[in-house]
Amino acid sequence: MRFIMKTDYYQDIRLFKYRSTFFWYLALVIGCLMLPLGLDEYLISQLTFICMYAVAAVGLMLLTGYTGQVSMGHAAFFAIGSYTSAILTAKGVPFLAALPAAGLLAGLVGIVIGRPILHLSGLYLAIATMGFAFIVDEILVRWESMTRGNMGYYVDPAAIGPLVFDSEIRFYYLALVVLILTLLAARNILRSPTGRAMIAIRDSEVAAEAMGINPAKFKTMAFAVSAFFTGIAGSLYAHKIFFINPESYTIFLSIELLAMVIIGGLGSLHGAVFGAAFFIFLPQFIVMTKDYLPQYLQNQTGLQPALFGLLIILVMLFEPLGIYGRWLKTKFYFEMFPLYRKDSFKREKKYQKAERR
Amino acid sequence: MSFFRAEDITISFGGIRALSQVGFEVRQGEIFAIIGPNGAGKTTIFNCINRFYDLDEGAFFLEDKDISRIKPHEVAEIGIARTFQNIELFKNTTVLDNLILGQHRSRRSNLFTETLFTPFVRKQEIRGREKAEEIIDFLELEAYREQRVINLPYGVQKTVELGRALAMEPKLLLLDEPSSGLNVEEAEDLSFWMNDIKEELGITILLVEHNMRFVQQVSDRVLALDFGEVITQGSSQDVLNHPEVMKAYLGEEDAVA
Ligand SMILES: Nc1ncnc2c1ncn2[C@@H]1O[C@H](COP(=O)(O)OP(=O)(O)OP(=O)(O)O)[C@@H](O)[C@H]1O
Ligand SMILES: [Mg+2]
């Protein structure tokens, strides 16, 4: 536990509450910069995927984790980002303009789709967003003059001036920078009135309204911002794999993104990153440990998806707050070291139950 | 000119008349209480003022302006704040965040300046914290400042909700059963605060209350309601001793003897 003397209110709103936190993050960034030096191309590529999916997950986290609006259609925003960026760069627009354009178009579509369905919630909203994603998917297949339909679209490597991101390591740095900028932007939104309004709508829409927060406005805004980041991630994706077709953006991608934010821990930006890392590394982990399994299990078909599903269920069962929740508890354990008791967290819950009615 | 006025308020829910032809006037700077047995329609009046429900007939006026056609979130913008009977806090955030959220209507930044967290946004945040701190001082919430609301005892949550409404710097404050669930000391504190809110902050209070002792202590004038109709209204002494009111409350434990 740490106690800080407050000398002014500015301490409260700083990006990093303690000086040490800043240094930890700095160390983390330096670590991420050094990381690829010792890794092979394949692993670097996996790290790139983590960064990319984390950007999309941050977007979905703002909508689902902070505003409380479920979306099963984020693959559509991802796809819009991919295609916008691919088509624009093919037409000669520089990547540095195509990347934000991909985000902006996705954001715009987010407003158009968010507006009419924002009075829905829960399952109904999930189904409506899913329907939207089906429509986008259909457009991608049918609008052949623009998207080349099922034939797919070849994408130029990203380039900023003379700098071409055509190697794994270069693209990793690009994705990392975009992720860091995304996290900073999301953090800033969350410590400002817009972010608080989103959280307010999640926790109590009537109270938010009674505070003068217009739920329609802020839900639409959440949709737009969320779609923006997911579109940016989609753009990166296109320039990473150089070939896109509608099959990359099915309902499974939407579900994966949703699972990332839920497993990572709803309502935390750390969670978005943890969730993305979990999803990329879990299959790796399963492949690696496969050799240690008994022979008859090893050769079982469908082992990987089954283990994948099982692990997700286990995480949800034993850590409903997601990986971020587990991380907080571990941190708490070390901070309180000699004092930590096994029921430190349980007691809090009992206390809640004792409240008067 | 009247400060706040309800004229012939009528609303039904599927054939059940929750309010019929209810009219009253709240004077600037007073504490006005609405009393009545369970289901009398008290909370419904608040929900109509807040525009959560549409009136069938009648209208509300704030400073002679009709406010019964505006959007729900605009009710806060014109200076009406409220608390809820079953506490509606933003429960996964801290006390401080709740108090800052109360100030939402003074937001002057937009999404772009916020994303960049410009010096202007920074200043606005600092100002918000200064205001929140005043309320923390006023309601003696120092000990809970950084705690998440969900972990706080019931009485403290009620105080935080009052604080959040005050953070809106309203002209008119609506309190739905502010003393329910409080112990004697907490209710005592509350009645002092209400007096301070009226005297020092100059905020007019309209409250709904079951606890007759509390009503007698704090309110200047009272309206008694039963089955959606006004029984009587006037000075708190007259209303609380009105035979019809005593009859409506007969057998209820907290009626004034
Ligand atoms: N949304 C609604 N739909 C249907 N009926 C409603 C609705 N809101 C209120 N009512 C009805 O209107 C009547 C008045 O309810 P209200 O909540 O205003 O009572 P109250 O005076 O606040 O009572 P209490 O002291 O129990 O809080 C009740 O009969 C209630 O069932
Ligand atoms: Mg009520």
Side-chain angles (χ1 to χ4, degrees):
Chain A
M1 285 290 255
R2 232 173 322 194
F3 297 96
I4 46 169
M5 286 295 289
K6 288 216 167 30
T7 47
D8 61 77
Y9 298 111
Y10 181 57
Q11 273 180 340
D12 256 0
I13 57 172
R14 274 200 309 231
L15 207 46
F16 307 103
K17 239 195 195 130
Y18 315 109
R19 188 156 292 212
S20 64
T21 326
F22 172 71
F23 285 112
W24 279 116
Y25 278 108
L26 194 66
L28 183 67
V29 170
I30 293 172
C32 287
L33 289 173
M34 308 285 282
L35 204 51
L37 300 181
L39 297 177
D40 62 29
E41 295 243 307
Y42 175 72
L43 280 177
I44 297 174
S45 155
Q46 295 303 302
L47 289 177
T48 308
F49 274 113
I50 293 180
C51 293
M52 251 156 38
Y53 281 118
V55 171
V58 166
L60 186 56
M61 187 62 88
L62 288 174
L63 184 68
T64 301
Y66 286 98
T67 320
Q69 311 295 305
V70 186
S71 167
M72 291 256 279
H74 260 52
F77 298 124
F78 201 85
I80 291 168
S82 286
Y83 275 90
T84 307
S85 194
I87 292 169
L88 285 179
T89 48
K91 290 200 189 319
V93 177
F95 170 74
L96 215 46
L99 179 73
L104 286 176
L105 187 66
L108 212 65
V109 175
I111 294 177
V112 174
I113 169 74
R115 196 73 221 190
I117 60 174
L118 46 77
H119 62 277
L120 300 175
S121 63
L123 264 183
Y124 296 94
L125 184 62
I127 302 294
T129 46
M130 197 170 84
F132 154 71
F134 287 146
I135 294 171
V136 169
D137 196 45
E138 200 58 27
I139 292 173
L140 292 179
V141 173
R142 296 292 154 98
W143 195 4
E144 290 183 352
S145 59
M146 196 59 138
T147 66
R148 294 184 199 149
N150 280 327
M151 304 246 298
Y153 206 104
Y154 287 93
V155 188
D156 299 329
I160 298 176
L163 180 61
V164 183
F165 297 93
D166 51 1
S167 72
E168 288 298 350
I169 194 157
R170 281 191 197 160
F171 201 87
Y172 165 73
Y173 285 127
L174 174 68
L176 184 65
V177 168
V178 173
L179 173 60
I180 291 171
L181 291 179
T182 299
L183 286 169
L184 283 176
R187 189 76 245 146
N188 281 346
I189 292 173
L190 288 172
R191 60 184 176 142
S192 307
T194 300
R196 278 194 298 266
M198 288 174 3
I199 295 168
I201 290 170
R202 177 194 69 191
D203 280 4
S204 168
E205 197 168 328
V206 277
E209 227 168 0
M211 302 293 103
I213 293 167
N214 180 352
K217 176 174 154 190
F218 284 94
K219 279 186 195 172
T220 312
M221 212 163 328
F223 253 103
V225 173
S226 176
F228 176 85
F229 287 131
T230 308
I232 293 278
S235 163
L236 287 179
Y237 176 83
H239 295 283
K240 161 93 174 81
I241 63 168
F242 305 127
F243 175 76
I244 53 176
N245 73 356
E247 260 159 50
S248 323
Y249 309 98
T250 57
I251 177 87
F252 291 107
L253 176 60
S254 296
I255 293 175
E256 251 172 41
L257 288 173
L258 197 57
M260 274 180 210
V261 298
I262 293 173
I263 288 178
L266 285 175
S268 104
L269 291 180
H270 290 89
V273 180
F274 288 152
F278 179 83
F279 258 77
I280 299 299
F281 273 130
L282 193 60
Q284 306 294 320
F285 177 75
I286 292 172
V287 170
M288 282 193 296
T289 50
K290 210 171 157 186
D291 296 339
Y292 302 100
L293 289 176
Q295 195 72 43
Y296 63 92
L297 263 181
Q298 253 182 54
N299 302 324
Q300 209 58 246
T301 50
L303 173 69
Q304 193 170 319
L307 274 180
F308 199 54
L310 182 69
L311 275 168
I312 291 173
I313 293 173
L314 288 177
V315 169
M316 292 308 356
L317 272 182
F318 295 108
E319 200 48 86
L321 293 176
I323 302 172
Y324 183 63
R326 169 60 38 192
W327 158 252
L328 280 186
K329 284 177 198 172
T330 315
K331 211 170 85 175
F332 183 76
Y333 174 82
F334 283 110
E335 277 173 4
M336 299 296 286
F337 173 59
L339 304 173
Y340 185 85
R341 306 230 310 240
K342 216 172 166 196
D343 55 355
S344 291
F345 285 89
K346 276 201 196 108
R347 293 197 313 159
E348 202 170 87
K349 283 191 194 138
K350 273 183 213 145
Y351 182 43
Q352 285 164 28
K353 277 185 199 139
E355 71 181 21
R356 286 159 290 170
R357 276 287 156 202
Chain B
M1 190 185 104
S2 70
F3 177 68
F4 181 82
R5 195 165 80 241
E7 269 178 19
D8 302 329
I9 301 305
T10 303
I11 183 171
S12 334
F13 298 104
I16 301 168
R17 274 229 157 160
L19 295 171
S20 64
Q21 308 285 324
V22 175
F24 59 91
E25 189 183 320
V26 181
R27 296 175 194 149
Q28 185 152 24
E30 75 173 346
I31 297 182
F32 188 95
I34 300 174
I35 61 169
N38 287 106
K42 306 177 298 292
T43 301
T44 304
I45 294 182
F46 278 13
N47 286 342
C48 289
I49 297 175
N50 264 106
R51 301 283 299 117
F52 293 153
Y53 302 155
D54 283 325
L55 290 171
D56 292 339
E57 277 170 48
F60 293 105
F61 297 88
L62 181 70
E63 294 172 333
D64 287 333
K65 256 185 29 212
D66 187 343
I67 57 163
S68 30
R69 296 290 176 272
I70 59 180
K71 298 220 177 80
H73 67 90
E74 289 168 343
V75 175
E77 279 159 25
I78 58 171
I80 299 180
R82 81 173 275 187
T83 64
F84 294 83
Q85 189 168 348
N86 305 308
I87 306 187
E88 288 281 348
L89 283 166
F90 308 120
K91 54 184 183 303
N92 295 306
T93 62
T94 64
V95 169
L96 188 67
D97 279 335
N98 271 274
L99 296 178
I100 295 173
L101 260 162
Q103 306 166 28
H104 182 85
R105 74 186 181 112
S106 62
R107 170 188 192 238
R108 295 291 171 271
S109 51
N110 59 45
L111 185 59
F112 296 102
T113 54
E114 287 169 7
T115 307
L116 300 172
F117 213 74
T118 59
F120 176 78
V121 178
R122 190 173 309 235
K123 249 185 242 138
Q124 181 177 270
E125 287 299 306
I126 291 172
R127 231 180 302 128
R129 272 165 181 74
E130 285 166 354
K131 251 193 234 165
E133 219 63 47
E134 284 169 19
I135 291 165
I136 286 174
D137 275 348
F138 178 61
L139 297 177
E140 294 158 21
L141 285 168
E142 289 87 354
Y144 310 104
R145 193 175 183 279
E146 306 279 355
Q147 289 195 38
R148 293 208 312 164
V149 166
I150 198 168
N151 298 329
L152 298 176
Y154 188 78
V156 179
Q157 291 196 15
K158 284 217 105 152
T159 310
V160 175
E161 208 189 18
L162 174 65
R164 187 183 63 181
L166 288 177
M168 294 169 68
E169 302 192 326
K171 290 179 193 154
L172 176 64
L173 180 57
L174 313 179
L175 304 176
D176 199 344
E177 308 210 5
S179 84
S180 79
L182 299 186
N183 62 34
V184 180
E185 288 156 47
E186 287 168 333
E188 195 77 359
D189 279 345
L190 179 66
S191 71
F192 283 122
W193 285 330
M194 288 187 46
N195 224 41
D196 286 349
I197 292 168
K198 175 177 118 172
E199 303 285 334
E200 286 172 28
L201 305 180
I203 296 172
T204 310
I205 299 177
L206 172 57
L207 84 148
V208 159
E209 198 37 85
H210 259 313
N211 180 341
M212 291 302 142
R213 260 178 58 94
F214 188 80
V215 171
Q216 200 164 28
Q217 239 173 35
V218 301
S219 48
D220 300 307
R221 291 187 315 127
V222 178
L223 168 111
L225 205 64
D226 198 8
F227 294 113
E229 291 181 32
V230 178
I231 304 177
T232 177
Q233 54 181 316
S235 75
S236 63
Q237 209 50 45
D238 291 349
V239 173
L240 294 177
N241 293 314
H242 192 281
E244 290 281 323
V245 175
M246 306 215 341
K247 210 171 87 192
Y249 271 94
L250 205 67
E252 289 209 16
E253 48 180 350
D254 47 13
V256 172

